[in-house]
Amino acid sequence: MMYQSTRDHRLSASSTHAVLEGIAPDGGLYMLDHMDALDFDWRNLLEMDTMSMSAAILSALLPDFKDMDGLVRAGYTGKFESDELTPLAAVGDKYVLELFRGPTSAFKDVALSLLPHLITAARDAEGMEGDTVILTATSGDTGKAALEGFHDVKGTRIIVFYPHGGVSPVQQAQMTTQVGDNVCVCAVRGNFDDAQTGVKEIFAACAGRDLGGARLSSANSINIGRLAPQIVYYFKAYADLVKAERIKAGQPVHFVVPTGNFGDILAGYFAKLLGLPVGKLVCASNANNVLTDFITTGCYDKRRPFHKTTSPSMDILVSSNLERLLYLLSGCDNEYVADLMADLKEKGVYRVNDTLLQRLQSDFACGCCDDEGAADAIETVWREQGYLMDPHTAVAWHVAEEFAAVRTDDAPVVVLSTASPYKFPAAVLSALGETPDEDEFAALDHLHALTGVAIPKNLASLRAMPVRHTDVIDKEDMLSYVLRKVGEKQW
Ligand SMILES: *Cc1c(COP(=O)(O)O)cnc(C)c1O
């Protein structure tokens, strides 16, 4: 079973190679062609505990890894609040899938607790000796989750780029205080799209180049090793609904996903291809609603103002993983995808054909809301249900309410919760009608005093930690920065 570039079938890779490379040499993303034809018994999974479920799904998708069960257990054991990893909470007439109970309090932990183990195993399988240098662009949460996963992992080094002034103060403190001899954190003057484009350009510029024995890889969801572990929690949530007798196995469930780079929601689509009875996947966006327009009209147009919102991890206008969906919905037509991506790069816009649009709309619904809509959702759900949401989850909740009002069935609606409210205390306090404290750590205490909701340990301990990373560069200098860093023996 081989992975192929979404833009060129001739560029194929084993699953270990795809994970090590992160992105295909032509800038395409590695994909499997016939995920729906895999021999996969999804019903069997519903009886398993979360880690066994994870091992079963990952073995099917990444077959070249030996001992997936051991890798999964090494990645997760003791790192999350419970071994169930991602609990499902009933909130009002909906369900909230809590993905933020890992070591850095964001859903990225689900994949990034495991990715270092996958990369290490892939290095062994491929007999790689030089360092694997993980390049990561972050809209706020991937960076810390990746640093947490990769720090002091033998044979790896990690460089994280985040948008200067584009992440919350808690997110920034999480990254700039990171310890470890193999970690590097740098702010880029620009937004997330600039940082992500810069990283992709570095991959292109370094393809085939000798980096003193080192090789680049990615911890962003362009890496299939980052995406695959995220499929698991859709199965887990579904199994919980069956166990609670809310549904019988086989009945559909809708999922509403706060979306940025389209990785999280695409994992839900993969779950559907593997057989899980997923109803609609509802793509929720903030004021950067390029995906809402796309799913509604078939036209993807990034030529629009970039808004800084209270849900910064979704402040994205170029959603990388959409490329994988286009590939699947076009019947794996790599030339078609390559043309669309060329249009996006050259003109900033593309339009898909009617067949593709119909397929898209049969699986996906969409909606968006601005900061005010998210704040309203935080306040209402706290007042009526006593449940505290972060602004990203709140965007999805808002969209879920609109979706629930128009849908024609009574299937359960699951809202994916992607971060702890304590990563964004100022925005949450404002939503609750309080004046946020100037100091973000005072805001943490303030929010705790107001709500009584526990502060995650990793965030509470941040204030005592010294800042270790202060680099700020222009986006044009990302390549030379990486080359210089890779050349330094000691960081
Ligand atoms: C990354 C992130 C998202 C967006 O997920 P994508 O996979 O990029 O679509 C949403 N919410 C939070 C809190 C995130 O960190």
Side-chain angles (χ1 to χ4, degrees):
M1 198 173 81
M2 294 295 267
Y3 279 80
Q4 277 153 357
S5 165
T6 43
R7 301 183 195 176
D8 186 346
H9 275 165
R10 290 165 304 181
L11 298 173
S12 64
S14 65
S15 54
T16 41
H17 199 69
V19 167
L20 267 189
E21 266 195 75
I23 187 166
D26 63 343
L29 306 185
Y30 281 121
M31 265 306 289
L32 281 181
D33 274 6
H34 296 290
M35 217 180 268
D36 48 349
L38 285 179
D39 184 15
F40 190 77
D41 182 1
W42 66 270
R43 283 173 193 267
N44 218 347
L45 244 58
L46 303 184
E47 304 298 321
M48 297 181 184
D49 62 69
T50 313
M51 290 196 216
S52 307
M53 219 181 242
S54 178
I57 292 169
L58 292 169
S59 303
L61 290 181
L62 306 172
D64 308 301
F65 287 81
K66 309 264 180 320
D67 188 24
M68 192 58 91
D69 199 66
L71 294 176
V72 165
R73 279 169 215 282
Y76 290 129
T77 305
K79 299 229 187 94
F80 282 62
E81 285 179 30
S82 76
D83 281 351
E84 133 182 73
L85 308 185
T86 54
L88 187 70
V91 180
D93 60 355
K94 300 183 186 57
Y95 295 86
V96 174
L97 177 54
E98 298 184 337
L99 305 176
F100 58 83
R101 303 223 173 255
T104 75
S105 305
F107 92 93
K108 309 294 200 290
D109 287 326
V110 177
L112 288 164
S113 299
L114 188 54
L115 187 63
H117 296 267
L118 294 177
I119 293 216
T120 303
R123 284 170 53 84
D124 292 347
E126 307 241 325
M128 201 184 147
E129 297 197 338
D131 278 351
T132 300
V133 180
I134 311 291
L135 281 193
T136 298
T138 183
S139 57
D141 290 325
T142 291
K144 176 60 187 183
L147 290 163
E148 184 66 30
F150 281 98
H151 78 89
D152 299 321
V153 173
K154 217 174 128 252
T156 72
R157 297 168 122 192
I158 172 164
I159 302 176
V160 169
F161 292 110
Y162 69 94
H164 189 51
V167 301
S168 85
V170 170
Q171 288 177 312
Q172 180 166 333
Q174 279 186 298
M175 292 188 278
T176 56
T177 59
Q178 178 66 46
V179 295
D181 292 338
N182 64 337
V183 302
C184 164
V185 178
C186 178
V188 176
R189 290 185 197 94
N191 59 35
F192 170 74
D193 288 324
D194 297 322
Q196 171 159 265
T197 303
V199 164
K200 285 186 179 171
E201 284 171 2
I202 295 169
F203 276 107
C206 293
R209 188 152 159 180
D210 180 26
L211 298 174
R215 296 270 292 273
L216 301 181
S217 187
S218 167
N220 287 102
S221 51
I222 52 178
N223 191 329
I224 191 69
R226 159 69 199 279
L227 210 47
Q230 297 179 188
I231 300 169
V232 178
Y233 45 75
Y234 288 90
F235 281 87
K236 163 71 171 52
Y238 192 91
D240 282 347
L241 289 167
V242 174
K243 279 185 203 127
E245 299 185 353
R246 174 63 177 83
I247 50 164
K248 291 199 175 60
Q251 292 178 332
V253 173
H254 305 299
F255 291 92
V256 187
V257 190
T259 296
N261 225 358
F262 212 76
D264 201 5
I265 194 167
L266 185 70
Y269 187 66
F270 287 177
K272 188 169 191 173
L273 293 179
L274 291 175
L276 191 73
V278 173
K280 287 279 188 197
L281 288 160
V282 185
C283 175
S285 302
N286 63 23
N288 296 294
N289 56 2
V290 61
L291 287 165
T292 317
D293 291 345
F294 174 63
I295 294 170
T296 310
T297 67
C299 179
Y300 194 100
D301 191 347
K302 70 163 189 177
R303 301 166 304 174
R304 57 178 75 208
F306 180 94
H307 300 286
K308 278 194 184 185
T309 72
T310 52
S311 43
S313 300
M314 293 155 67
D315 290 349
I316 295 178
L317 292 178
V318 183
S319 297
S320 291
N321 276 293
L322 192 59
E323 177 168 350
R324 286 193 165 105
L325 182 67
L326 297 172
Y327 178 75
L328 292 170
L329 293 178
S330 67
C332 305
D333 185 341
N334 57 286
E335 283 172 21
Y336 183 66
V337 173
D339 285 347
L340 294 180
M341 291 303 116
D343 279 351
L344 183 63
K345 185 161 186 208
E346 283 150 29
K347 303 180 196 139
V349 55
Y350 62 78
R351 178 181 288 281
V352 298
N353 62 42
D354 288 346
T355 320
L356 200 152
L357 180 59
Q358 274 166 19
R359 288 185 188 153
L360 176 70
Q361 291 174 342
S362 80
D363 287 314
F364 291 83
C366 60
C368 59
C369 87
D370 58 12
D371 285 354
E372 204 180 324
D376 279 351
I378 291 172
E379 194 278 326
T380 311
V381 173
W382 173 248
R383 183 163 37 81
E384 294 179 356
Q385 312 294 343
Y387 189 83
L388 194 63
M389 298 186 300
D390 98 288
H392 303 75
T393 311
V395 167
W397 184 278
H398 179 106
V399 171
E401 292 273 38
E402 288 174 355
F403 172 73
V406 298
R407 50 103 171 233
T408 49
D409 61 16
D410 65 351
V413 175
V414 175
V415 174
L416 274 64
S417 178
T418 46
S420 159
Y422 285 105
K423 287 195 97 164
F424 310 94
V428 175
L429 279 171
S430 308
L432 297 178
E434 301 281 311
T435 308
D437 314 70
E438 251 174 54
D439 171 35
E440 188 88 341
F441 291 106
L444 280 182
D445 292 337
H446 184 168
L447 186 58
H448 175 63
L450 186 73
T451 63
V453 175
I455 305 178
K457 278 201 204 79
N458 76 81
L459 300 181
S461 60
L462 265 185
R463 82 184 76 189
M465 294 175 65
V467 169
R468 304 183 67 234
H469 307 276
T470 51
D471 288 355
V472 184
I473 61 171
D474 289 328
K475 59 188 180 195
E476 292 74 22
D477 297 334
M478 288 172 66
L479 175 61
S480 57
Y481 184 85
V482 167
L483 293 177
R484 179 166 62 77
K485 278 290 177 183
V486 170
E488 287 173 12
K489 286 225 162 47
Q490 199 123 44
W491 285 1

